[in-house]
Amino acid sequence: MTMRRLLTLLLLTVATLLPAFAQRTVTPVETDDKKPAQPTLHYYDKHGKPLDEPVLFLATLDTVSAKKTNSGPIYPKLSALSVGLNFWDGIMAIAGQKYGGADLWAELSLWNWLSPVAEIGIGGANRTPDGNNYTYKGKAAFYAKLGFNYNFLYKSNPDYQVFAGFRAGFSHFSFDLNDITVSSGYWDQSQKFSLTGFSSSAFYGEALAGIKVKIAGPISMGWSVRYRFLFHSKPANLKAVVSSTGAPFNPSQLSNGAEATPWYIPGYGSRDTHFGFTFSVIYTLPLNKEKYPKPDDATEDTAEPLPAPAPVPTETEITVPERPEY
């Protein structure tokens, strides 16, 4: 009797728990670690447009997310045309320098990093050395220079530049040596005369470095320091001797005969020094109608991020059906 009650109690317990176990959810677990991962479904093409049906790609699309770049803004080939007036030597002549002049130059910006430059100017000199008995008179003459600048800040705002460059210059000029006084202690006589019409030419180069700073609107200012060196200088030939007092003077009595070395070369400056400076007021005319890209916005891709794809189920739920009752 006791055994029958025990079996009946066991059957009632199993019948009570069976429906609960029949509704449980089983999630399969992948146990093969060496099995390659399945490719992911993609709902958008490489241009970000939705597909009619999802597809599998063996490689990840490079347009799924926006990428950052450090290349900086890309400027058009013809960025701007700048025209400047350099009057540093004119200011220094007023301050007491023995020569002066000014030049007008034009610069064409290519991609905001390379700039061909052309310069044309005029210069002259008037110098009476201390303790000497003559006056050097350099007649006003033109000079021309061609070269280029390289902008180290080509990834930044073109209104501000730090550059280095090179110029090749040429000038054909003339000068006079006036009021030359020669005294003779033996004869107690003196002669005063002038050597006029010296003609010469020079070809020279300049290595330079400088900066450009925007002041207001299209107006900027620029400074540069230049190291100058001569490629070739033609000796000056004497054309005439003008005697003021005393006996006629024979040019062959000069230590250098009828030739002289020019002290001043237009565009180059004094032969006594290799260094020179420039100060310019600049007007810049943009050649591209589009606005320059902002440097701060150029570090990220401007394309809008693509919408996230719909979630793809990675697990499959299996439901164990209830056991039918008989």
Side-chain angles (χ1 to χ4, degrees), residues 2-74:
T2 304
M3 182 61 68
R4 183 178 296 177
R5 290 180 178 179
L6 181 61
L7 292 174
T8 303
L9 180 60
L10 181 60
L11 290 175
L12 291 175
T13 303
V14 171
T16 303
L17 297 178
L18 184 58
F21 283 103
Q23 298 297 330
R24 75 182 184 276
T25 300
V26 179
T27 301
V29 179
E30 182 64 53
T31 58
D32 188 3
D33 297 336
K34 297 182 180 180
K35 184 178 180 180
Q38 293 296 326
T40 306
L41 283 172
H42 289 268
Y43 292 80
Y44 301 90
D45 62 11
K46 64 179 181 178
H47 302 293
K49 298 180 178 180
L51 299 171
D52 296 334
E53 295 181 0
V55 296
L56 294 175
F57 286 95
L58 298 179
T60 304
L61 295 178
D62 59 356
T63 57
V64 174
S65 61
K67 291 185 177 181
K68 293 185 178 181
T69 176
N70 294 324
S71 60
I74 299 176

Side-chain angles (χ1 to χ4, degrees), residues 80 103 108 116 139 146 163 215 227-228 246 270 288 306 317:
D103 60 69
L108 182 62
K139 299 179 180 180
L146 291 176
F163 58 87
I215 302 302
Y227 180 81
R228 295 161 174 165
S270 168
N288 195 285
L306 301 178
E317 296 183 353

